Amino acid sequence: MKKANVWALLPIGIFVILYLGLGITFEYVLKIPMGFYKIPIVVIFLVALLVACLQNRRQSFDEKLTLMGQGVGDKNIITMLLIFLLAGIFVGVVGRSSAESVAYFVLSIVPPRFAVCVLFIVSCFVSTAMGTSVGTITLITPIAVAISMTSGFSLPLCVGTVVGGAMFGDNLSFVSDTTIAACNGQGCAMKDKFRTNFAIVLPAAIVTLGLILLLSLRADIQPLAQQSYQLVQIIPYVLVLIGGIVGINVFITLLIGIVTGCITMLATGAASIHSLLESMGAGVSGMFETAMVAVLVAALCALIREAGGFTALLNGIRRVFRGKRGGQLGIGLLVGLMDIATANNTVAIVMANPIASDMAKEYGITPRKTASILDTFSCIFQGFLPYGAQMLVALSAVSAMGLELGAFDVISHLFYPMMLLISSLIFMFLIPERKQ
């Protein structure tokens, strides 16, 4: 362990002040739509990295470059970057029409009374298969608005149900960037993290479904209009989900999804070879910022660790949180606070990873449990943020359909993140981790 140095944490403080301060100013003072996402997060990280480079003058700049190179060159970082890119190709290949087929197929086989329950289940499935909560919300929210307008279900209930279901998959999916970041950052297999997570999220999902059903039975509703779909387009999602659950190597799983997705989209006429290649490029491009953030954070954390910043942070946490359960809660709050600062759960996990890894060793927490806590608590906090991408995208989709809805109207109907928090705390403090 390096000698503790609180000042080594200054780059993180600079990042938080710049990112959170500018985000609040843009979003709530200047009233810029999606203000938090107008801020170039890569530039803010570069500023933080510059501050870190200016510290610790006992080291030359070349020595600092060597440290940054060692941090970026870590096997877990390289693995994470490759998975990010493959996941981007998969999402680009299967596209919007495939996910719409999932949604409309399920809605076509259930009674209208249970439409909101189906919205939750479909959102859970699509987000788990696609690995993106924002993509799921973008896709399913217009369907949720249509269900509310045509059936009489409460709009905040429908939208909140979609956001909650989207966070289910964001937390659990094998191709989610949060899962990739948490597992590779802690050096655990995705299937092990999945099993640990599933035991926590299943009770939360069941209780959420019960609450939605209770509200649905009390609502006055009308019949739903039927929409067309192509059932064969569900195949790539199902194969990726099965491959992840049974423990097939994530690279092989994603390649299977990409190949079957290409075959399916070409066979159904949903895409041409030219448009498919463009979609692949767009999917990869969509991951560039996330990949670059992972690189910059790895370099930044290497400098902070060498300067003693993580030692100082661990000493502070050790004074507040006692025992293994206290350490688990400390990791959860750590990633939660970073998520509040960045409004991005993947970035929060990447930033928290090296600190959480040291805490896990200090408190005797297994890598799979640490990865589960990081992913779960980042998704809990992200789901409630009124300035998070998930909420802003949902509200934008509602506005695009000529309706108005406030963030706090949706937050009061985010049953799944509420239940997930309760379930996580129960498993953390009352139910011991099972040996696997």
Side-chain angles (χ1 to χ4, degrees):
M1 297 290 287
K2 301 293 181 180
K3 183 179 179 181
N5 178 13
V6 175
W7 284 106
L9 296 171
L10 179 63
I12 295 178
I14 295 295
F15 173 84
V16 170
I17 291 171
L18 287 176
Y19 190 84
L20 194 58
L22 288 173
I24 292 174
T25 302
F26 285 5
E27 186 75 31
Y28 297 105
V29 178
L30 300 179
K31 304 295 183 181
I32 299 175
M34 302 283 286
F36 267 86
Y37 297 89
K38 305 295 184 184
I39 304 169
I41 191 170
V42 171
V43 175
I44 304 299
F45 267 119
L46 282 172
V47 173
L49 187 60
L50 175 62
V51 173
C53 287
L54 293 175
Q55 292 182 305
N56 195 9
R57 296 185 178 181
R58 290 172 296 180
Q59 288 181 319
S60 67
F61 183 64
D62 281 344
E63 290 174 326
K64 292 173 183 176
L65 284 175
T66 299
L67 284 172
M68 288 188 280
Q70 291 171 348
V72 174
D74 183 86
K75 175 187 174 183
N76 290 326
I77 298 297
I78 300 301
T79 303
M80 189 189 309
L81 294 175
L82 292 175
I83 295 175
F84 279 154
L85 297 179
L86 280 177
I89 293 174
F90 172 73
V91 173
V93 165
V94 295
R96 180 187 180 94
S97 59
S98 295
E100 284 180 341
S101 293
V102 174
Y104 289 131
F105 164 68
V106 178
L107 286 171
S108 69
I109 60 176
V110 297
R113 173 67 63 183
F114 305 109
V116 182
C117 294
V118 171
L119 269 180
F120 179 70
I121 295 171
V122 168
S123 298
C124 290
F125 178 84
V126 171
S127 60
T128 302
M130 290 181 66
T132 165
S133 55
V134 172
T136 301
I137 292 168
T138 302
L139 171 69
I140 307 296
T141 299
I143 302 173
V145 174
I147 288 175
S148 174
M149 293 174 65
T150 59
S151 68
F153 281 114
S154 161
L155 182 58
L157 172 63
C158 291
V159 176
T161 295
V162 171
V163 175
M167 298 314 297
F168 175 94
D170 199 323
N171 175 216
L172 205 61
S173 174
F174 287 91
V175 295
S176 168
D177 46 6
T178 57
T179 296
I180 296 166
C183 291
N184 284 279
Q186 299 306 311
C188 77
M190 290 191 185
K191 63 179 181 180
D192 292 335
K193 181 260 184 187
F194 178 87
R195 291 166 183 165
T196 301
N197 247 34
F198 191 73
I200 298 171
V201 305
L202 183 60
I206 292 174
V207 173
T208 299
L209 198 58
L211 290 173
I212 295 171
L213 178 61
L214 183 63
L215 292 174
S216 297
L217 293 175
R218 297 168 55 185
D220 295 326
I221 61 167
Q222 301 170 4
L224 297 176
Q226 295 296 315
Q227 299 286 342
S228 61
Y229 58 86
Q230 296 193 55
L231 192 58
V232 69
Q233 292 183 352
I234 300 175
I235 293 175
Y237 291 122
V238 175
L239 290 179
V240 167
L241 189 59
I242 293 174
I245 292 174
V246 300
I248 298 176
N249 180 279
V250 64
F251 290 107
I252 297 176
T253 298
L254 284 171
L255 287 173
I256 291 172
I258 291 168
V259 171
T260 55
C262 288
I263 294 173
T264 300
M265 299 302 284
L266 291 172
T268 58
S272 63
I273 294 178
H274 175 70
S275 63
L276 204 57
L277 290 173
E278 286 185 342
S279 297
M280 289 182 183
V284 171
S285 298
M287 288 291 186
F288 280 172
E289 184 176 78
T290 300
M292 186 53 64
V293 165
V295 169
L296 292 176
V297 169
L300 179 64
C301 288
L303 293 178
I304 293 174
R305 182 192 295 275
E306 180 66 21
F310 290 168
T311 302
L313 187 57
L314 284 171
N315 289 343
I317 292 173
R318 193 182 295 116
R319 295 190 191 100
V320 178
F321 299 99
R322 303 289 182 179
K324 186 174 181 178
R325 291 184 174 88
Q328 293 178 18
L329 181 60
I331 291 173
L333 293 177
L334 170 69
V335 74
L337 290 173
M338 289 187 174
D339 186 67
I340 291 173
T342 62
N344 186 310
N345 47 345
T346 304
V347 175
I349 291 172
V350 172
M351 291 180 67
N353 258 330
I355 307 172
S357 183
D358 288 344
M359 290 176 64
K361 295 174 184 176
E362 173 77 19
Y363 291 99
I365 306 169
T366 62
R368 65 174 180 266
K369 185 66 175 179
T370 306
S372 174
I373 293 171
L374 286 171
D375 202 349
T376 301
F377 273 80
S378 69
C379 287
I380 290 171
F381 278 79
Q382 184 70 18
F384 284 115
L385 288 182
Y387 52 86
Q390 289 76 6
M391 185 65 68
L392 295 175
V393 167
L395 297 179
S396 297
V398 172
S399 177
M401 299 188 72
L403 299 175
E404 291 186 2
L405 187 64
F408 292 98
D409 294 325
V410 179
I411 289 174
S412 63
H413 289 81
L414 290 175
F415 303 132
Y416 176 72
M418 297 177 194
M419 295 304 105
L420 182 58
L421 175 60
I422 294 171
S423 180
S424 298
L425 293 175
I426 289 173
F427 273 83
M428 187 178 290
F429 289 99
L430 301 180
I431 301 176
E433 182 181 3
R434 296 170 63 182
K435 295 182 178 180
Q436 299 183 17

